[in-house]
């Protein structure tokens, strides 16, 4: 029987004693707004993939032919959701990170270009909208390279951040380091703060944990959010707790958005209520993930 004491997992983290890192301007909490851009990267026979995507607000898979219904659902995000989200980010002066699939950017380069023009970061979210667990090493290396190339071609800048949809492979972080150019990844959900892991050539690599609870994906089936105010109330509660704790130690809140989800007219008000609440509190730092990673590295490396 395997000995459970031999493993590479870390259950202690900072042990309740986070490092003494001061956010810029004396902020109490760093709020990372992440806008996931996945539309066009979902699996689709129409895009030459091996099958159709089955995950949306209604779980259904069309087998053997194009799923025009699913394709249309995903198209809503860039067409109607992005303009609403973009306008709110601008109105509240929020600097955000776009977690963008490479194929989505290749199909809608204008969206990434608008984001960069607005001062947002475009990070990589894989080539297709797929988990990497179980993916062969050569295939995963190619997926990383394709995502990097697509973002660089659209924006003129290679991404410095990476976030795999759902589960990574055991090789993902090593392959990111081999690819080079990555400052951080968000392939963890185990803390409210960034932390450092060994990188290449003596330079630490930053891990910025992500969150599935303060995330509009919970509007999907079984997720618990129904009304826009459900999203607002939950995110506000999370913000208020971290803001209070931020008087003694640094805190970070990740808020996950998707063009085709929070961008709906019945939900976008929830995002606006949250942004208004957080923006009204002195000591809120709305920050791109690359800015958070760079600051953490400067303070601790």
């Amino acid at each position: 029987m395997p000995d459970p004491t031999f493993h590479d997992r870390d259950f202690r983290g900072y042990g309740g004693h986070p490092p003494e890192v001061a956010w810029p301007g004396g902020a109490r909490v760093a709020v990372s707004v992440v806008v996931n851009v996945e539309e066009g990267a979902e699996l689709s026979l129409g895009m030459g993939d091996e099958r159709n995507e089955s995950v949306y607000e209604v779980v259904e898979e069309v087998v053997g032919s194009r799923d025009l219904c699913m394709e249309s659902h995903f198209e809503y995000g860039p067409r109607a959701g992005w303009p609403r989200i973009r306008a709110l980010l601008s109105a509240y002066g929020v600097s955000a990170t776009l977690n963008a699939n490479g194929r989505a950017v290749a199909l809608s380069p204008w969206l990434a270009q608008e984001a960069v023009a607005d001062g947002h970061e475009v990070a990589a979210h894989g080539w297709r909208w797929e988990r990497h667990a179980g993916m062969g090493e050569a295939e995963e290396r190619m997926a990383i390279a394709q995502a990097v190339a697509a973002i660089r071609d659209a924006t003129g800048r290679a991404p410095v951040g990476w976030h795999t949809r759902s589960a990574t492979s055991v090789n993902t972080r090593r392959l990111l380091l081999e690819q080079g150019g990555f400052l951080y990844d968000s392939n963890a959900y185990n803390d409210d703060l960034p932390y450092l892991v060994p990188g290449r050539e003596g330079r630490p690599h930053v891990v910025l944990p992500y969150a599935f609870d303060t995330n509009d994906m919970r509007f999907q089936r079984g997720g618990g959010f129904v009304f826009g105010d459900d999203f607002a109330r939950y995110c506000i509660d999370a913000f208020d707790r971290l803001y209070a704790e931020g008087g003694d130690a640094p805190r970070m809140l990740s808020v996950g958005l998707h063009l085709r989800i929070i961008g709906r007219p019945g939900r976008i008000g929830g995002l606006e209520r949250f942004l208004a609440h957080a923006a009204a509190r002195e000591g809120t730092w709305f920050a791109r993930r690359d800015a958070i990673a760079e600051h953490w590295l400067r303070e601790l490396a």
Side-chain angles (χ1 to χ4, degrees):
M1 182 176 179
D3 184 343
T5 63
F6 289 93
H7 58 80
D8 59 359
R9 300 175 67 187
D10 181 1
F11 293 93
R12 186 170 181 82
Y14 291 120
H17 302 284
E20 295 181 3
V21 172
W23 294 129
R28 297 170 70 102
V29 59
V31 178
S32 169
V33 175
V34 177
V35 182
N36 292 277
V37 181
E38 302 158 342
E39 290 77 4
E42 78 281 2
L43 299 181
S44 167
L45 290 179
M47 294 295 298
D49 297 321
E50 64 275 15
R51 63 177 178 84
N52 291 316
E53 183 56 59
S54 61
V55 178
Y56 191 60
E57 296 187 39
V58 175
V59 178
E60 181 180 5
E61 183 176 2
V62 173
V63 178
S65 63
R66 285 181 67 180
D67 187 347
L68 298 179
C69 177
M70 185 69 75
E71 291 178 14
S72 183
H73 279 302
F74 273 79
E75 290 165 10
Y76 184 92
R79 291 168 63 111
W82 167 242
R84 290 192 180 105
I85 295 171
R86 184 187 185 196
L88 278 185
L89 296 178
S90 176
Y92 287 93
V94 175
S95 296
T97 291
L98 272 65
N99 268 359
N101 290 121
R103 196 168 77 179
V105 170
L107 291 169
S108 302
W110 53 268
L111 195 156
Q113 291 158 6
E114 289 180 349
V116 169
D118 289 352
H120 304 307
E121 173 197 10
V122 181
H125 193 32
W127 170 244
R128 301 193 305 183
W129 190 53
E130 60 186 346
R131 60 180 59 90
H132 282 204
M135 187 179 285
E137 187 169 325
E139 181 185 3
E140 185 170 20
R141 184 179 285 109
M142 177 61 73
I144 293 170
Q146 286 180 296
V148 169
I151 293 171
R152 184 179 57 237
D153 289 348
T155 67
R157 307 174 190 176
V160 299
W162 178 278
H163 182 210
T164 307
R165 175 198 174 183
S166 301
T168 67
S169 81
V170 295
N171 300 312
T172 302
R173 187 165 291 150
R174 173 175 60 82
L175 293 176
L176 292 174
L177 294 174
E178 288 181 8
Q179 168 73 31
F182 284 101
L183 167 69
Y184 74 90
D185 73 68
S186 298
N187 297 330
Y189 307 85
N190 53 3
D191 212 309
D192 295 320
L193 286 175
Y195 56 90
L196 304 181
V197 297
R200 298 190 71 187
E201 301 176 352
R203 178 183 172 88
H205 178 76
V206 185
V207 179
L208 262 64
Y210 192 52
F212 278 178
D213 63 324
T214 47
N215 195 306
D216 68 0
M217 64 187 286
R218 295 183 58 200
F219 281 110
Q220 298 207 24
R221 189 175 184 179
F225 289 170
V226 177
F227 302 105
D229 200 48
D230 297 334
F231 174 86
R233 289 174 60 192
Y234 191 93
C235 290
I236 287 171
D237 281 351
F239 171 85
D240 285 349
R241 172 62 63 174
L242 294 173
Y243 188 90
E245 294 176 355
D248 300 317
R251 287 292 184 262
M252 180 183 77
L253 172 65
S254 294
V255 177
L257 311 174
H258 297 74
L259 305 182
R260 63 191 179 278
I261 300 179
I262 201 70
R264 292 280 176 176
R267 297 170 178 158
I268 194 70
L271 174 60
E272 182 164 22
R273 284 189 284 278
F274 166 72
L275 293 179
H277 179 86
R281 302 296 296 274
E282 184 177 354
T284 300
W285 181 37
F286 285 109
R288 297 161 34 144
R289 290 178 90 75
D290 59 349
I292 295 173
E294 288 169 355
H295 184 80
W296 201 259
L297 192 58
R298 281 195 303 269
E299 291 286 309
L300 295 183

